[in-house]
């Protein structure tokens, strides 16, 4: 596959270089909110949504910064614009679609400054993606995050019923599970070069 | 610990040592996990990342603590993030100037220090309520604890994954490297193993104490019966 093509960028962010399991971004919500499957699903949706918005915003602000040669302000302006645009969307959502807001609402402020969100913005800049490529990248990364957190939640729900030794309290066990999941995802590397 | 009233208490060694082990940001508080796993495939990367985080943590906590009476409450988080982002941009350029090699290896993870919850967490929970000296010392302890955890992970991963330590060959050429340790799954598994080990040690410690207590409690009624 052509590494520049939209489908490749999407698949690469979704499976091959999965944001959580191969690049370790967004681990806090991954460990924190993966207790139940329905919460995990809403969290995944909300993250995908925020990633898409922040990717578009970051692309726009980067174009402006490059034009005026202000690249050293990139980091600060990314954070500011992501935080404020998400807040704006949150307010709009509350007004026009209360049902959707109830599903995603509590997660939106939580994930605004999560490293996966900023990671999408930074990686698309570093790799020099154009607008459509950035959108494909952000959607793939969001879907990948959702997939990983859903898998994790399913595993943890099953494990709640099993008899575990005391020393594998919460975090240690989650790390082990994530390691095994990550190993499974390494299998996708065959789909087309793992260029991180 | 972070009580707003005791800002006048004198500096203590505990402020410094708490972050090193007892409240270690990685192993105990599970903060800032993303860089912990992403860049610890060699000791060199771990050290670079640890020192960069230490620098940002100390500088931003010092500034937050110095400005804590000037920052209005409603916009404090935004202010903290801007302060942190400024120092991260500084570190980003400094590393680029000192070692381009390290800069290329760490990549975007240097800039991602901004969203390391450890730094914002310390700024909000400690620096905004304590004096300048205390904040700097506590931040130094926390940063060193973070670096220690990174190096502990990096050492295991480099040793098993490449048979090297800081670039020097440790095992003979007969050693077959566990490549998986350098790859992403190794990060999760090594951190999981460290946590298991720490849990085990903690449990043995508290378990012994509990045994002694229960033993002494058991002996009391016997004495009463005999008397």
């Amino acid at each position: 596959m052509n590494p520049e093509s939209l489908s490749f960028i999407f698949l690469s962010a979704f499976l091959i270089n999965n944001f959580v399991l191969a690049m370790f971004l967004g681990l806090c919500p991954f460990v924190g909110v993966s207790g139940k499957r329905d919460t995990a699903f809403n969290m995944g949706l909300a993250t995908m949504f925020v990633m898409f918005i922040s990717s578009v915003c970051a692309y726009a602000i980067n174009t402006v910064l490059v034009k005026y040669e202000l690249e050293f302000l990139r980091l600060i302006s990314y954070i500011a614009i992501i935080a404020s645009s998400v807040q704006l969307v949150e307010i709009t959502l509350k007004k026009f679609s209360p049902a959707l807001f109830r599903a995603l609402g509590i997660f939106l402020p939580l994930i605004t400054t999560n490293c996966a969100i900023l990671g999408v913005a930074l990686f698309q800049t570093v790799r020099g993606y154009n607008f459509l490529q950035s959108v494909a990248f952000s959607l793939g990364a969001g879907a990948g995050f959702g997939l990983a957190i859903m898998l994790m939640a399913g595993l943890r729900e099953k494990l709640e019923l099993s008899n575990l030794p005391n020393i594998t309290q919460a975090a240690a066990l989650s790390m082990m599970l994530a390691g095994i999941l990550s190993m499974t995802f390494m299998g996708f590397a065959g789909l087309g070069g793992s260029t991180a | 610990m972070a009580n707003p009233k005791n800002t006048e208490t004198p500096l203590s060694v505990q402020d410094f040592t708490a972050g090193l082990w007892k409240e270690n940001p990685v192993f105990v508080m599970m903060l800032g996990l993303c860089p912990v796993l992403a860049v610890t495939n060699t000791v060199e990367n771990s050290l670079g990342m640890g020192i960069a985080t230490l620098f940002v943590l100390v500088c931003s906590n010092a500034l937050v603590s110095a400005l804590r009476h000037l920052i209005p409450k409603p916009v404090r988080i935004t202010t903290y993030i801007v302060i942190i982002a400024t120092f991260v941009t500084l570190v980003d350029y400094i590393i680029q100037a000192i070692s381009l090699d390290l800069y290329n290896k760490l990549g975007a993870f240097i800039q991602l220090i901004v969203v390391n919850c450890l730094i914002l967490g310390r700024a909000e929970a400690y620096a905004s309520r304590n004096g300048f000296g205390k904040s700097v010392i506590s931040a130094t302890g926390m940063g060193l604890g973070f670096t220690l955890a990174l190096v502990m992970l990096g050492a295991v991963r480099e040793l098993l994954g490449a048979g090297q330590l800081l670039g020097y060959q440790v095992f003979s050429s007969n050693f077959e490297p566990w490549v998986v340790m350098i790859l992403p799954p190794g990060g999760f598994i090594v951190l999981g193993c460290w946590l298991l080990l720490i849990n085990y040690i903690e449990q043995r410690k508290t378990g012994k104490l509990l045994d002694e207590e229960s033993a002494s409690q058991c002996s009391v009624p016997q004495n009463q019966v005999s008397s």
Side-chain angles (χ1 to χ4, degrees):
Chain A
M1 267 193 290
N2 174 14
E4 297 284 301
S5 73
L6 293 182
S7 56
F8 181 81
I9 288 172
F10 178 83
L11 267 183
S12 165
F14 181 42
L15 293 175
I16 305 165
N17 291 315
N18 187 288
F19 255 53
V20 182
L21 297 171
M23 293 164 75
F24 307 112
L25 295 170
L27 281 179
C28 310
F30 179 67
V31 176
V33 202
S34 59
K36 282 209 175 78
R37 257 180 301 173
D38 44 348
T39 353
F41 181 73
N42 284 344
M43 181 70 186
L45 262 188
T47 307
M48 197 169 165
F49 181 65
V50 174
M51 273 184 180
F52 173 70
I53 293 170
S54 55
S55 162
V56 172
C57 293
Y59 184 82
I61 192 84
N62 191 42
T63 321
V64 177
L65 288 180
V66 168
K67 196 178 166 200
Y68 293 102
E69 295 180 347
L70 288 170
E71 280 98 340
F72 60 91
L73 285 178
R74 191 178 280 149
L75 200 54
I76 298 180
S77 41
Y78 273 14
I79 290 184
I81 198 137
I82 290 173
S84 47
S85 63
V86 170
Q87 210 140 41
L88 207 67
V89 170
E90 200 188 334
I91 296 167
T92 326
L93 216 59
K94 203 174 185 175
K95 178 101 173 80
F96 293 107
S97 170
L100 194 61
F101 178 77
R102 267 198 298 279
L104 306 184
I106 39 165
F107 299 114
L108 286 178
L110 266 181
I111 53 188
T112 310
T113 48
N114 147 344
C115 49
I117 311 290
L118 190 67
V120 168
L122 287 175
F123 279 117
Q124 77 183 27
T125 319
V126 170
R127 296 180 194 172
Y129 286 154
N130 64 27
F131 182 69
L132 280 180
Q133 283 171 329
S134 303
V135 170
F137 181 62
S138 68
L139 288 178
F145 180 87
L147 179 69
I149 201 171
M150 283 288 287
L151 284 172
M152 188 72 179
L155 285 173
R156 282 178 66 173
E157 276 192 356
K158 281 257 186 291
L159 275 175
E160 251 171 34
L161 301 172
S162 46
N163 191 10
L164 293 166
N166 274 340
I167 54 166
T168 55
Q169 282 153 0
L173 187 67
S174 307
M175 284 299 134
M176 288 301 194
L177 278 180
I180 294 165
L181 267 183
S182 166
M183 234 183 278
T184 341
F185 269 67
M186 267 171 70
F188 290 116
L191 277 177
S194 55
T195 44
Chain B
M1 188 184 86
N3 189 342
K5 276 173 197 159
N6 64 5
T7 42
E8 301 310 318
T9 52
L11 299 173
S12 68
V13 189
Q14 226 182 352
D15 289 327
F16 181 69
T17 53
L20 277 180
W21 191 253
K22 229 167 82 193
E23 292 174 32
N24 187 292
V26 176
F27 294 134
V28 181
M29 305 204 293
M30 305 293 292
L31 286 177
L33 282 183
C34 314
V36 169
L37 295 169
V39 299
T40 52
N41 43 12
T42 64
V43 177
E44 194 194 345
N45 288 358
S46 316
L47 261 180
M49 190 67 188
I51 291 168
T53 312
L54 173 69
F55 175 80
V56 175
L57 186 62
V58 172
C59 293
S60 57
N61 275 14
L63 200 58
V64 164
S65 154
L67 297 176
R68 69 185 190 281
H69 297 303
L70 297 176
I71 300 173
K73 266 255 141 68
V75 294
R76 65 186 194 289
I77 301 286
T78 326
T79 321
Y80 299 160
I81 289 185
V82 172
I83 290 174
I84 296 168
T86 315
F87 284 113
V88 171
T89 313
L90 260 178
V91 164
D92 193 48
Y93 281 100
I94 291 174
I95 293 183
Q96 211 169 347
I98 296 175
S99 164
L100 198 62
D101 189 39
L102 186 65
Y103 181 80
N104 289 333
K105 274 189 203 150
L106 295 180
F109 283 100
I110 302 173
Q111 301 192 352
L112 285 174
I113 296 177
V114 180
V115 279
N116 190 329
C117 23
L118 166 67
I119 297 173
L120 189 63
R122 292 311 289 175
E124 162 74 4
Y126 200 87
S128 62
R129 298 171 194 179
N130 286 285
F132 184 79
K134 266 186 110 162
S135 301
V136 169
I137 285 175
S138 159
T140 316
M142 277 284 161
L144 285 177
F146 186 74
T147 315
L148 177 75
L150 282 177
V151 171
M152 276 165 73
L153 274 167
V156 172
R157 286 180 73 185
E158 193 178 356
L159 196 62
L160 295 178
Q164 296 176 332
L165 213 52
L166 271 170
Y168 296 106
Q169 200 72 34
V170 175
F171 294 129
S172 68
S173 52
N174 292 333
F175 176 71
E176 186 69 42
W178 305 7
V179 181
V180 76
M181 282 298 168
I182 301 187
L183 294 171
F188 285 117
I189 290 174
V190 172
L191 179 59
C193 289
W194 273 119
L195 287 173
L196 282 181
L197 189 68
I198 289 168
N199 279 350
Y200 178 68
I201 294 170
E202 287 290 311
Q203 205 172 48
R204 275 195 57 172
K205 250 199 249 163
T206 50
K208 259 186 193 161
L209 284 177
L210 279 179
D211 281 350
E212 279 165 15
E213 268 172 29
S214 56
S216 62
Q217 275 170 358
C218 283
S219 66
V220 171
Q222 277 177 352
N223 288 344
Q224 283 172 340
V225 169
S226 66
S227 63

